[in-house]
Amino acid sequence: MSNQKLTPLQESEAKRRAAAAAKVNKQPRIFSEAEKTMRKERVGKAKDALARSVGAKGDHVTAGRAALKKYLQKMNEPNQPDDARFEMLIEAPFKAPPKQRDNNR
């Protein structure tokens, strides 16, 4: 009977209990001084890019601003972009994407 399928209610209760147990056993993440300074620098650059892009117009601006806001919201997650990808993220609101060509003659 170990392969018995759980009902959705039992499954959600098991997930809730597992999350609560993980929260109790969670170890705080400790950042080194180099990581702290890098994070502060990145936050400053991201906030500066958001402030400068307020008056810009275009579809690429809204997508770039959304990506920057998402980055700032998820700063504490372990998977962070590398330096090249972060620079692309910073420049996203200011760089218009290349226009697509139509070969309709």
Side-chain angles (χ1 to χ4, degrees), residues 22-34:
K23 194 173 188 178
V24 169
N25 297 330
K26 184 177 178 183
Q27 295 294 325
R29 189 167 169 209
I30 300 171
F31 297 105
S32 68
E33 289 301 317

Side-chain angles (χ1 to χ4, degrees), residues 13 30 71:
E13 181 66 17
I30 300 171
Y71 170 77

